[in-house]
Amino acid sequence: SNWVEWLSWRGDGGALGCAAGRCVAVLSSGGEVVARREASGQVAALAFVAGEFKRVDEAAEAGAGWRGRLAVGTYGGVEWLCAGGAPAESLALGGGGVRCLA
C-alpha cells in the first residue's frame, strides 16, 4: 500500500528496480517480481551495478534469468539486492544518508 518512490531501469531494459519506504524489488521486463527484500533503512537512491547484468534468452528472462545487483542507498549505508537469492551485501557508512548512486 506504499507509493513507489524510486525507480531505476537496468541499462539493457531487461529489469526495473523500484522502492517504496524500505521495500525494494526488481521486476522483469514483463512486470514479474523476480527479487525483493526489505532494506535496513529508508531508501534514498537506487542504481543497477553497471557491467554486472547479462542479456539472457527470452525464456529465462521472465524470472530466474535476472542477473546482477541493484545498489540501494539508505540512511546508514549502501546495500545490494542480489539476483538468484544470493546473500545481500552491505556497506555501513554511519549515520549519513546515501542519496545518489551512479
Side-chain angles (χ1 to χ4, degrees):
S1 65
N2 291 327
W3 288 91
V4 172
E5 299 168 316
W6 297 99
L7 293 172
S8 178
W9 281 108
R10 192 172 73 180
D12 68 352
L16 174 69
C18 58
R22 292 181 177 204
C23 300
V24 183
V26 173
L27 285 72
S28 70
S29 59
E32 179 182 347
V33 175
V34 295
R36 77 172 58 180
R37 72 170 289 184
E38 186 167 324
S40 63
Q42 180 74 27
V43 175
L46 289 178
F48 280 94
V49 178
E52 289 198 349
F53 54 81
K54 297 181 175 90
R55 191 73 177 162
V56 294
D57 66 13
E58 293 298 320
E61 193 164 353
W66 178 66
R67 307 254 192 289
R69 296 185 299 169
L70 178 67
V72 181
T74 67
Y75 289 97
V78 179
E79 302 171 7
W80 287 269
L81 178 58
C82 301
E89 304 169 32
S90 64
L91 173 64
L93 298 174
V98 175
R99 299 183 50 102
C100 183
L101 296 165

